[in-house]
Amino acid sequence: LLPAAREESEAELTQRGQYRRLFWLLLLGTVPAGVLGALFESKIETALNTPIYHGYGLLFTAVILILASRLQGTRGLDKTDWRQALGVGLAQSLALLPGVSRSGSTITAGLLCGFERDFAPRFAFLLSIPVILGGFVFKLKDMVEAHVSGGLDPLTYPLSALVAGVTGYFAIVLVINSVKRGNLLY
């Protein structure tokens, strides 16, 4: 009975170590988008907010998704280091450009780094959490001002968050399954 308890405790320690490793990799991967977003987001929005640039961004996204559908990696969390996390984080920064998909660029970057088809979308979506929360905090003042000046119903924001959360969950499941099957072409 004692060896089984020791085995279980070693497994728990290994799992905690993996979570800790994932946390630090995600933190490092968040830095490029956070820094570049804070410095350049409003400048990029002002300079590139025309339909032609949105079209270029969508075309870029289409090309990288075609590329991603052909990539196959073997790297999981245990074989991922700071270089891959930083590379995926830099790819996430491309989403500052209009029309460029954040998840498409990060999943493709993960696959280019050799991530397994199961790990690439999971890492990409976990990497989005700090960036989305940071963007929310940055835009909170604008949201409050719009609420006060526009006389919006107080339920607008929580209801919008609920709908976005539910549809986002199903979208994430759909994308993860598409990446696993390698059919991002569609």
Side-chain angles (χ1 to χ4, degrees):
L1 187 65
L2 190 57
R6 179 180 298 151
E7 239 179 70
E8 189 173 276
S9 115
E10 287 174 15
E12 287 174 5
L13 286 174
T14 302
Q15 187 175 24
R16 273 197 301 251
Q18 291 293 340
Y19 288 144
R20 202 172 294 119
R21 175 183 185 76
L22 179 61
F23 171 80
W24 288 111
L25 291 172
L26 291 171
L27 186 66
L28 178 62
T30 301
V31 170
V35 170
L36 294 172
L39 294 175
F40 300 113
E41 181 185 21
S42 62
K43 292 176 180 126
I44 290 171
E45 276 183 22
T46 304
L48 303 178
N49 198 13
T50 62
I52 192 75
Y53 290 114
H54 287 268
Y56 289 145
L58 290 170
L59 285 173
F60 174 77
T61 297
V63 169
I64 64 171
L65 290 177
I66 289 169
L67 174 66
S69 68
R70 298 169 190 252
L71 298 171
Q72 185 71 30
T74 59
R75 188 183 305 261
L77 175 60
D78 56 333
K79 295 178 185 169
T80 300
D81 64 24
W82 66 270
R83 292 173 294 217
Q84 290 87 32
L86 194 57
V88 175
L90 284 169
Q92 181 168 241
S93 301
L94 292 173
L96 292 169
L97 301 171
V100 175
S101 166
R102 192 214 58 80
S103 58
S105 58
T106 53
I107 290 169
T108 301
L111 292 170
L112 281 169
C113 288
F115 288 2
E116 297 170 335
R117 288 197 160 275
D118 197 27
F119 180 61
R122 293 181 190 284
F123 188 81
F125 285 120
L126 287 171
L127 190 61
S128 74
I129 294 170
V131 171
I132 290 170
L133 289 175
F136 171 76
V137 169
F138 259 25
K139 299 288 183 178
L140 190 58
K141 179 182 168 230
D142 296 337
M143 289 171 40
V144 170
E145 287 174 1
H147 174 72
V148 170
S149 67
L152 294 174
D153 181 6
L155 290 177
T156 301
Y157 294 119
L159 185 60
S160 299
L162 176 66
V163 170
V166 170
T167 56
Y169 172 79
F170 287 111
I172 288 171
V173 169
L174 178 70
V175 169
I176 288 174
N177 288 333
S178 294
V179 172
K180 281 183 189 177
R181 288 190 302 267
N183 65 358
L184 285 173
L185 290 174
Y186 308 107

